[in-house]
Amino acid sequence: MSETKESFQEIIEGDTKLLVPKKSLTEKVPPIKPAFFNPKAKTNRDFSIIAYAAFLKKFEGPKIFLESLSGVGARGLRVANELEIEEMKINDLNPTALEIAKKSSILNNLNNIKFSEKEACVFLNEHSRKGNRGSIVDIDPFGSPAAFFDCGVRATMHGGILSTAATDLQVLNGLFQGACKRKYGGTPIRVEYGNEMAIRLILGCLRSVAARLGVTMIPMFVESEMHYYRTYTRILNRTDQEENIGYVLHCKNCGHRKTVVEQQQECDLCKSKNSIAGPLWIGKIFDKEFVKNMIEESSKLKIQKSCEKTIHKCLEETEMPGFYFTLDEIAKKIKTSPPKLEKIISNLKENGFTSSVTSFNPTGFRTNANINEIIKIFNSTSETHTNTV
Ligand SMILES: C[S@@+](CC[C@H](N)C(=O)[O-])C[C@H]1O[C@@H](n2cnc3c(N)ncnc32)[C@H](O)[C@@H]1O
Ligand SMILES: [Zn+2]
């Protein structure tokens, strides 16, 4: 290793010993050199461990993990050490990152990991032939993962999981609409539920790549935090017949939103001009059984408790409509203070609507009620609140 020993430090994440650059633990933005490691991404690695555990429990084929952009190998090493896997391949362009990953594998007595120092697409294309593909393929680059979608889909076996991470949040949240259209093939708009829109833009792009390659991709689990969006999709070697790509129409005048397959210029409720985002994924973003399996597996794993809480929220929202509302958004509209989330959800249900929390936002809720119906419920909730105070 060209770097001095003093540059690295041993830490434990989950149940795995990891050698990481010392500076990555002290600097605000983890440096790319000598190798990249982001301690704050522990939460998303915990979610990965849970999602892969849920997948591996049910998957009957060969258990092969391909980590195409590994950094110091934090994710792959944790998978090899904390889960039951038959073959693990760790790839990165940075030789120093790989050397550190190798040393960490020795610290954990993991002796059958294969290391590879290739460009990610070259690595993935080496695994694109039938019989040579991965059952779990991870794509975790700096910025947008879209450039790796083709080779990632090709390298995932029938029934396998392709996981992707995006950190180009400003692009996906609508700050650079042109860049998003170029990279993901869909246009975002700036809305309260921007993180869900971003995830659906990523899924929309993945779906169009999968469809072009003649395979189906089914979202199993998605996760968003301050710094990244992650998707977990199952790849099936058969043509996708479902109509899961469309648009979200958002009326900035009254706040009404709906998903459609064909664009519509006028708001259904107030007849103002809609803002239109897409094309994007309008189908389900969680698979109920998969999420249930994640809950079951999480109790057996060394992960932070907050992940379990989030997954329980995901379970509640699996069958709910897309594009959530927030308490603040409605309260601001009708100039009142936001009521309690549980109260609004129970009032919506009592009035015959469906409603749930959402993992995307602590004050978010999903419902099939439209904005006018929600406002009515808010008004009646704050009246009861005032009468009882
Ligand atoms: C965000 S980091 C990966 C973090 C890691 N997966 C984790 O969970 O800690 C991105 C990594 O991709 C590597 N990289 C960037 N472009 C690459 C490419 N085209 N092919 C292979 N590796 C690449 C970088 O060296 C860096 O280590
Ligand atoms: Zn409207």
Side-chain angles (χ1 to χ4, degrees), residues 13 24 30 36-49 74-75 78 140 165 167 223 225 227-228 230 232 304 307:
E13 190 180 286
S24 67
F36 184 81
F37 173 75
N38 185 359
K40 289 200 194 96
K42 175 187 184 299
T43 311
N44 84 46
R45 285 188 287 268
D46 276 1
F47 278 116
S48 284
I49 293 291
R75 198 174 311 265
R78 283 193 60 186
D140 186 14
T167 54
E223 190 235 330
E225 289 209 15
H227 307 287
Y228 58 83
R230 280 192 73 90
Y232 297 80
Q304 64 204 67
C307 296

Side-chain angles (χ1 to χ4, degrees), residues 13 32 35-38 41 44-45 67-76 91-95 97 117-123 138-143 148 167 230:
E13 190 180 286
I32 291 177
F36 184 81
F37 173 75
N38 185 359
N44 84 46
R45 285 188 287 268
E67 187 174 33
S68 62
L69 301 113
S70 68
V72 296
R75 198 174 311 265
N91 178 77
D92 200 281
L93 261 187
N94 178 350
E117 188 190 318
K118 298 206 165 131
E119 200 287 319
C121 281
V122 174
F123 168 73
D138 187 59
I139 297 174
D140 186 14
F142 300 126
F148 305 100
T167 54
R230 280 192 73 90

Side-chain angles (χ1 to χ4, degrees), residues 250-257 266-274 371:
H250 182 101
C251 173
K252 291 207 167 150
N253 182 46
C254 74
H256 181 49
R257 67 210 56 176
E266 212 175 71
C267 170
D268 287 340
L269 302 183
C270 76
K271 308 297 172 204
S272 297
K273 192 171 183 297
N274 281 321
I371 187 84

